[in-house]
Amino acid sequence: DGGFVLSERRPPILNITTPLFIISTSGRSTGERVPTLASTPFPSPINDTSKIAKMGFLRKYIFPILFGVIFFSLFKNHLPKFKVLSALETIDLLKKNDKLSLVRFGDGEFDIIAQKRGPNYQRTSPRLREALLKILNSRSICVAVPEALSVDVLTPENSTNSHLRFWRTYVVLRAQLFRHILDSTRLYGDACVSRPYTNSQDDQLATQVFRQIRTLWTNKNVVVIEGELTRFGVGNDLLNDAASVKRIIGPAKNAFEKCDLIIEEARKQPEGTIFIVALGPAAKIIAYELSNQFKTLDLGHLDIEYEWYLRKMKEGGSVPNKYVNEAKVNFDSESEPFDPSLYESQIIAKFLN
């Protein structure tokens, strides 16, 4: 995983080997011990394509109905609940504190922590998992988790059906994990602050979020740390209010292996620089490490979400000349012309695999 070593200046507040307990439907602990995350055996990756296809069918159709509807309705009152700010409240918190940095945790990071398959663009490892756990427990940054962990917040009235089903399913399936690694007394930011359009029924909310989040870098010198072909803010006005824009380019895949080099380069920037990081799970480590020197915002997905908003693509999809991991066609380089001159002039360093 390269030479990166996470700083030890902020010790974790939770021991990951603490035993878990099964919670009965009465809401009381049965006292029955279950394996800890560290000792739980996890199956090896599935290579049989027919099994993968079946699992895809289960995840897309059966799990959302079984877990996201039936189990969620039955056990809603017994699921772990956490305090999560709204997207606008999260932005307001970041505006009030010039030194506060943002690190977002989504299903990809939680899957890595659970020793499951992470995103297809980041190789998992014990060191990455340990780093994410330490950052999750940091009190010096705004740690953001999906608002779905408030349990009651997402409803059919305010969320798209796909967003609602996915997160209700995920909360049920990862309930024990969340009990183990999150703090019910802590106030978290909203990890979906960078995804206000395709997840919400309220397009006006998306308008407000995009308008407000831009104020975080108005008249500031911005450095974007992003993956190759991410092109954050290129071709739209998302960064137009910044005083200047520079870029540090990391690899599109397995960026964790380049974290040490990226962080070293980033620390050369002048005081007062604001960093926007869009680099998958590696963004969490980079944002955390830079947070004691710079305001750093982990805002992966924001640019693509803004493109979808501008193009009124509520279901998402490919965006010309930008890499979109969730689209059927990840990189569309043909539908619109692209002049790379401004983008390339902003790049100050590249660290590719």
Side-chain angles (χ1 to χ4, degrees):
D1 295 318
F4 174 75
V5 178
L6 187 74
S7 169
E8 296 294 333
R9 66 185 182 277
R10 308 178 181 103
I13 61 171
L14 183 65
N15 185 346
I16 196 59
T17 60
T18 303
L20 294 169
F21 292 88
I22 295 176
I23 305 301
S24 68
T25 55
S26 66
R28 295 173 298 188
S29 170
T30 64
E32 179 181 351
R33 292 178 181 269
V34 299
T36 65
L37 291 177
S39 62
T40 301
F42 293 94
S44 57
I46 298 173
N47 295 318
D48 187 329
T49 55
S50 64
K51 289 182 179 179
I52 293 174
K54 288 178 182 177
M55 287 183 67
F57 177 81
L58 287 172
R59 288 173 178 166
K60 187 173 182 179
Y61 299 105
I62 304 302
F63 283 9
I65 295 174
L66 180 62
F67 294 101
V69 178
I70 298 173
F71 279 23
F72 182 86
S73 298
L74 288 173
F75 302 110
K76 176 181 176 180
N77 293 332
H78 308 286
L79 292 171
K81 296 182 181 180
F82 303 93
K83 302 171 186 176
V84 185
L85 296 170
S86 69
L88 289 172
E89 288 170 337
T90 301
I91 296 170
D92 192 49
L93 179 66
L94 293 166
K95 286 170 67 175
K96 288 178 178 177
N97 189 336
D98 285 341
K99 303 298 182 182
L100 188 63
S101 292
L102 173 72
V103 176
R104 299 162 37 258
F105 282 76
D107 57 300
E109 288 73 39
F110 288 130
D111 284 348
I112 292 172
I113 290 172
Q115 300 182 45
K116 301 292 185 181
R117 283 176 180 262
N120 59 13
Y121 49 85
Q122 178 58 64
R123 184 185 302 115
T124 61
S125 70
R127 291 175 63 235
L128 175 56
R129 175 176 175 267
E130 290 167 8
L132 291 174
L133 276 168
K134 288 182 179 180
I135 296 166
L136 186 64
N137 289 309
S138 171
R139 297 283 173 160
S140 62
I141 56 175
C142 176
V143 173
V145 301
E147 61 179 349
L149 293 179
S150 293
V151 177
D152 297 316
V153 172
L154 299 187
T155 67
E157 290 71 38
N158 62 25
S159 303
T160 57
N161 185 60
S162 58
H163 181 60
L164 186 70
R165 290 282 181 90
F166 174 84
W167 279 110
R168 284 185 171 181
T169 300
Y170 198 85
V171 167
V172 171
L173 291 174
R174 293 280 186 266
Q176 288 289 13
L177 174 73
F178 294 139
R179 282 193 183 96
H180 193 51
I181 65 174
L182 296 179
D183 184 350
S184 61
T185 67
R186 181 175 184 174
L187 184 62
Y188 293 95
D190 179 16
C192 294
V193 67
S194 64
R195 309 191 77 156
Y197 177 62
T198 55
N199 290 344
S200 175
Q201 297 275 22
D202 185 1
D203 290 354
Q204 289 303 311
L205 174 63
T207 300
Q208 288 180 280
V209 170
F210 288 127
R211 183 183 296 126
Q212 289 300 315
I213 204 164
R214 293 164 59 137
T215 64
L216 294 175
W217 51 82
T218 298
N219 298 323
K220 304 284 187 178
N221 294 315
V222 171
V223 174
V224 179
I225 300 177
E226 61 183 349
E228 190 178 19
L229 303 180
T230 298
R231 295 171 178 171
F232 190 106
V234 175
N236 59 49
D237 62 355
L238 199 54
L239 298 177
N240 280 14
D241 297 330
S244 66
V245 178
K246 298 178 182 177
R247 299 177 187 273
I248 298 174
I249 308 299
K253 293 189 176 183
N254 301 317
F256 178 60
E257 298 175 4
K258 300 293 183 179
C259 275
D260 52 349
L261 296 174
I262 292 171
I263 292 166
E264 181 182 0
E265 179 65 30
R267 289 199 185 279
K268 298 176 184 177
Q269 301 308 307
E271 182 180 353
T273 299
I274 285 187
F275 285 87
I276 297 173
V277 192
L279 204 58
K284 324 305 163 185
I285 286 84
I286 294 168
Y288 173 82
E289 285 297 310
L290 293 178
S291 65
N292 67 339
Q293 186 177 349
F294 303 99
K295 188 177 186 73
T296 309
L297 305 171
D298 166 22
L299 290 176
H301 304 290
L302 181 68
D303 175 71
I304 292 300
E305 193 80 5
Y306 188 54
E307 289 280 2
W308 288 337
Y309 166 80
L310 294 174
R311 298 166 186 267
K312 295 180 169 53
M313 297 170 61
K314 198 67 174 178
E315 301 300 318
S318 300
V319 173
N321 304 304
K322 297 187 178 186
Y323 186 86
V324 184
N325 181 65
E326 298 170 1
K328 290 182 179 179
V329 177
N330 296 137
F331 188 69
D332 171 15
S333 60
E334 299 178 357
S335 61
E336 291 183 12
F338 176 64
D339 180 0
S341 55
L342 176 60
Y343 165 74
E344 290 179 351
S345 71
Q346 295 170 339
I347 296 173
I348 58 175
K350 283 186 179 184
F351 301 97
L352 307 180
N353 290 328

